[in-house]
Amino acid sequence: MIATKTTIGGPDRPLLLGYIRADALTTEREIGLATADLAGYAAQAGYALGRVFVERTERVPAAFEALMVEAERTGAGAVLMPGPQPG
């Protein structure tokens, strides 16, 4: 599991946490791009992006469980997961 530690946005914005599912073929570059997409959406929607949890298939559900703990601890207002891009 990977979790970013930075918050993008400001203290006056509600907190949004991210969750990305990665398989064995997912590269760090792809994870970085997905994280950037989450940050862009969060900014547009008026949220501050907190940690982004990356779930590796061989460790399921470690990242999800950590996400739930973080959401409860921080009182996060939303969780965002990237999905397929509309074509």
Side-chain angles (χ1 to χ4, degrees):
M1 173 192 60
I2 302 168
T4 64
K5 295 191 180 196
T6 57
T7 299
I8 301 169
D12 56 333
R13 293 175 170 229
L15 180 65
L16 178 142
L17 301 176
Y19 180 76
I20 298 170
R21 297 240 2 190
D23 62 28
L25 301 178
T26 305
T27 67
E28 292 304 314
R29 181 177 184 278
E30 291 168 326
I31 290 170
L33 291 171
T35 299
D37 286 346
L38 293 177
Y41 177 83
Q44 285 182 319
Y47 286 92
L49 179 63
R51 292 184 178 182
V52 176
F53 295 85
V54 179
E55 190 78 76
R56 299 290 182 172
T57 53
E58 67 274 5
R59 299 195 58 192
V60 172
F64 183 78
E65 289 173 350
L67 168 71
M68 296 285 79
V69 169
E70 184 73 359
E72 187 173 323
R73 184 185 73 76
T74 62
V79 173
L80 183 64
M81 294 174 33
Q85 298 292 324

